[in-house]
Amino acid sequence: MSEELAARGQTTAAQVRKDLSHFGSFGKRGLGYRVRELRASLQRIIGVDRPWRVALVGAGRIGLALFEYPAFRARGYECVAIVDSDPEKIGTVWGNLTIRGPEEFETIVASLDVELIILAVPGPAAQELAARAVDAGVKGILNFAPIRLNVPPRVPVEDVNLIMELEALSFAITQAQRDA
Amino acid sequence: MSEELAARGQTTAAQVRKDLSHFGSFGKRGLGYRVRELRASLQRIIGVDRPWRVALVGAGRIGLALFEYPAFRARGYECVAIVDSDPEKIGTVWGNLTIRGPEEFETIVASLDVELIILAVPGPAAQELAARAVDAGVKGILNFAPIRLNVPPRVPVEDVNLIMELEALSFAITQAQRDA
DNA sequence: CTACATTTGTGAAGATTTTCACAAGCGAAG
DNA sequence: CTTCGCTTGTGAAAATCTTCACAAATGTAG
Ligand SMILES: NC(=O)c1ccc[n+]([C@@H]2O[C@H](COP(=O)([O-])OP(=O)(O)OC[C@H]3O[C@@H](n4cnc5c(N)ncnc54)[C@H](O)[C@@H]3O)[C@@H](O)[C@H]2O)c1
Ligand SMILES: NC(=O)c1ccc[n+]([C@@H]2O[C@H](COP(=O)([O-])OP(=O)(O)OC[C@H]3O[C@@H](n4cnc5c(N)ncnc54)[C@H](O)[C@@H]3O)[C@@H](O)[C@H]2O)c1
């Protein structure tokens, strides 16, 4: 069982067991893990055993792709608001949501209980919006802007930097060729 | 100098120096690093001292966002072809490129010297396209499909999994709240 | 030329992570 | 109830990564 999990996760059985043991004891010796139970426990530990309320900040190209991506909702991330500063976009409707202006941002976060934001605005706007989001009570940020956000340490930030991913590929390829 | 680099990279000066020492000796003692030189050396090491030829596979929502993202080209990743299987999309023009059908895939990779692909097709199609890309000579894959691609180890794959990033946020938040 | 103020590069120490290997526990079979 | 086969959970060992602390360079000033 830990063997199979290891194979799927590209790691070793011992690592799987050690990692799980860090959070508790889930399996039965001689038997393995009961999948539904383990799954439920892990969901609870990770915090994905309940829906999360998300606001999309920046209704641009990447924002649109993300908004239309059904897997988010399927996994419990529910987009409850969209904010953009472009006057042409404010008031237009995406799905069941109307795009709002940034002056309403704090009100939206507070009234809709937004916990997470997806920040998909250009770099220069990102820091200010992040700070405002944090002040308004947002608890975490998924950041697509290519800057390091300066927020209090209690607010986790996950950066998505696709250029770094491409550069990691370039490095791996260059490296492999150097070896050969 | 290593102090400043450390501050920017959220790490320590010793770490910066140790990491650099792994690839060579770049600075001058007592003086620091000469920025232009260090930069050039690292670009060469990473392999980003020359342009990379990229094909976009999957002209959907995420594919469009990526294609229109100017930072890729600015950093030396040049999109030289777009492939999609949708008959409505084949033949249409994005920027200076015409979308091609998947039956042309191998020809395109070979004739245009495609080194990297950005895979932005639905999961079920991804494995087959990845295998064909590798056979046609592609050297690396940036994969957006939510599956683990099975390709030979000489071909590096970078996975972008935004759901995992959101789940990492959820975990960090849940954890912080448990502590408090 | 010598003393001095700097900052790198790097062994050694310390900390963390991963692997090893096996006792502890569990169900099944006799 | 006892034995047996199997898989987890976990201390201990091994490997890896990070930090420490300082000698080796380098430019400068006297
Ligand atoms: N497009 C991509 O594939 C891609 C990939 C990785 C990262 N990114 C990053 O994501 C961010 C957005 O990229 P994009 O391609 O969607 O850009 P975009 O220009 O298409 O969209 C940005 C949106 O943000 C809005 N905006 C600007 N200032 C704002 C403000 N102060 N308040 C609210 N909204 C504001 C704009 O009106 C626009 O709708 C950028 O930081 C970019 O670097 C984009
Ligand atoms: N949209 C997002 O924000 C997002 C985020 C993360 C990951 N992803 C992943 O990226 C992939 C694409 O997502 P999307 O939202 O752009 O989907 P999409 O449906 O908008 O686009 C997929 C495109 O791939 C094309 N396609 C399908 N089969 C093909 C084949 N065999 N050969 C060539 N082209 C083919 C389709 O015609 C379509 O144009 C999916 O795997 C999705 O899980 C999307």
Side-chain angles (χ1 to χ4, degrees), chain A residues 19-69:
Chain A
D19 287 356
L20 290 180
S21 79
H22 221 278
F23 292 106
S25 181
F26 303 104
K28 287 219 190 306
R29 304 187 178 196
L31 246 235
Y33 301 95
R34 281 177 42 203
V35 175
R36 290 202 67 79
E37 243 181 51
L38 178 60
R39 192 185 146 87
S41 298
L42 292 180
Q43 283 181 337
R44 204 165 30 253
I45 289 164
I46 295 169
V48 293
D49 55 342
R50 59 159 182 104
W52 288 81
R53 301 173 66 76
V54 180
L56 173 62
V57 181
R61 293 164 296 197
I62 194 87
L64 178 63
L66 298 172
F67 180 74
E68 290 182 341
Y69 187 44

Side-chain angles (χ1 to χ4, degrees), chain A residues 61 68 75 77 167 170, chain B residues 61 68 75 77 167 170:
Chain A
R61 293 164 296 197
E68 290 182 341
R75 286 304 202 90
Y77 295 91
E167 290 182 346
S170 297
Chain B
R61 294 164 295 198
E68 291 182 341
R75 285 305 201 90
Y77 295 91
E167 290 181 346
S170 297

